[in-house]
Amino acid sequence: MRKIVIAGNWKMYKTQAEALEFLQVFMPELDKTPAERNVVLCVPFTNLDLLSKKLPASVHLGAQNVHWESEGAYTGEISASMLTEIRVRYVIIGHSERRQYFGETDETVNQRLKAAQQFDLLPILCVGETKQQRDSGETETHIYSQLDRDLVDVDQSALVIAYEPIWAIGTGDTCEVSEANRVIGLIRSRLSNQDVPIQYGGSVKPNNIDAIMAQPEIDGVLVGGASLEPGSFARIVNYQ
Ligand code: PGA
């Protein structure tokens, strides 16, 4: 049985005060959430410690990056043990924004994945194609190449993958659900463990979540913009 993982990615949004306001409205909505859904909030580093004290056990805490060394002279980075010490359970690795703006490569993604697993953090590995790659028919080859490089020596029994077509992120231009389902099926066919949960990400909203989660290959979602507003993230978590 594949796990269902519904994760919010707050990116570089929310002060601690704003995070607390979010929780006040969001938490009561979880009373309706079926227990088998894994709900995750991936928040900025400055919110992690606070949320580790405020979140109920039913919501998992996630970070948005982790370094591959256990410690060292790496200004601006954070280690896996610093995260697990404050009960962080998940970590997003290889988000397209990190690949695009911060020089993340498949090699560094691979190193981060292995370090996360070594410390019992569950990585959410993001893969996906640009608009240009899609238009020139390179979607499959690009994603296969990302998977092949990113997953070298990675344990597929402790892994989540998010298929995030880059052209659908933050644009309101959601990928057709049947197409997302197809690509996720292809990603699964490339894995040695068929039980890896695979999410869809890219303009997931309250008005498309039910259709997305009805697709047989899709095991959850990675939600950016719509996870910032407690009512809309609650609707997503409580999809029908
Ligand atoms: P979006 O972001 O939901 O705002 O499109 C998704 C993501 O970047 O993970």
Side-chain angles (χ1 to χ4, degrees):
M1 249 311 251
R2 302 194 309 255
K3 277 207 304 195
I4 298 169
V5 185
I6 311 288
N9 171 13
W10 280 2
K11 309 192 178 185
M12 197 176 72
Y13 290 98
K14 292 198 193 293
T15 61
Q16 291 197 351
E18 289 164 345
L20 291 178
E21 275 174 39
F22 174 96
L23 289 190
Q24 261 188 349
V25 182
F26 180 65
M27 293 210 316
E29 299 291 327
L30 293 173
D31 295 346
K32 304 175 211 150
T33 311
E36 69 275 10
R37 295 184 191 174
N38 290 278
V39 179
V40 186
L41 274 175
C42 299
V43 303
F45 291 133
T46 51
N47 284 335
L48 288 171
D49 189 39
L50 175 72
L51 292 206
S52 77
K53 293 167 182 134
K54 298 285 180 188
L55 283 179
S58 57
V59 183
H60 302 284
L61 192 55
Q64 300 171 10
N65 194 14
V66 64
H67 197 260
W68 52 87
E69 293 292 343
S70 52
E71 60 180 16
Y74 300 103
T75 303
E77 290 284 329
I78 208 120
S79 77
S81 60
M82 292 170 185
L83 296 174
T84 52
E85 183 186 37
I86 52 171
R87 298 201 301 125
V88 175
R89 181 77 189 99
Y90 286 79
V91 60
I92 298 173
I93 296 181
H95 190 281
S96 61
E97 287 152 15
R98 295 222 50 92
R99 294 181 192 254
Q100 187 181 349
Y101 306 129
F102 300 101
E104 191 82 77
T105 64
D106 288 314
E107 288 65 39
T108 55
V109 164
N110 175 253
Q111 286 180 287
R112 292 185 204 276
L113 286 169
K114 288 185 290 188
Q117 290 186 331
Q118 220 179 342
F119 284 85
D120 278 339
L121 282 168
L122 250 176
I124 301 177
L125 164 65
C126 301
V127 297
E129 80 287 0
T130 62
K131 179 86 175 82
Q132 202 186 359
Q133 286 165 331
R134 173 158 285 266
D135 290 345
S136 49
E138 292 163 22
T139 298
E140 291 80 1
T141 47
H142 173 68
I143 292 172
Y144 291 159
S145 150
Q146 285 186 316
L147 291 170
D148 291 350
R149 292 162 194 256
D150 295 352
L151 292 178
V152 175
D153 295 330
V154 168
D155 175 5
Q156 294 190 12
S157 70
L159 178 69
V160 177
I161 293 179
Y163 167 52
E164 297 207 306
I166 296 171
W167 47 273
I169 295 177
T171 57
D173 195 8
T174 326
C175 184
E176 286 278 333
V177 288
S178 57
E179 173 60 8
N181 188 67
R182 183 187 75 86
V183 176
I184 287 175
L186 292 176
I187 292 173
R188 180 159 289 115
S189 71
R190 201 82 177 174
L191 302 177
S192 55
N193 174 13
Q194 298 302 293
D195 290 334
V196 173
I198 309 181
Q199 303 172 307
Y200 167 76
S203 298
V204 175
K205 305 287 176 203
N207 66 9
N208 56 29
I209 184 65
D210 298 339
I212 292 169
M213 290 307 296
Q215 295 294 313
E217 298 287 353
I218 304 183
D219 306 317
V221 282
L222 183 56
V223 189
S227 74
L228 294 171
E229 203 278 303
S232 68
F233 193 50
R235 174 64 184 85
I236 288 169
V237 164
N238 293 324
Y239 68 84
Q240 278 137 35

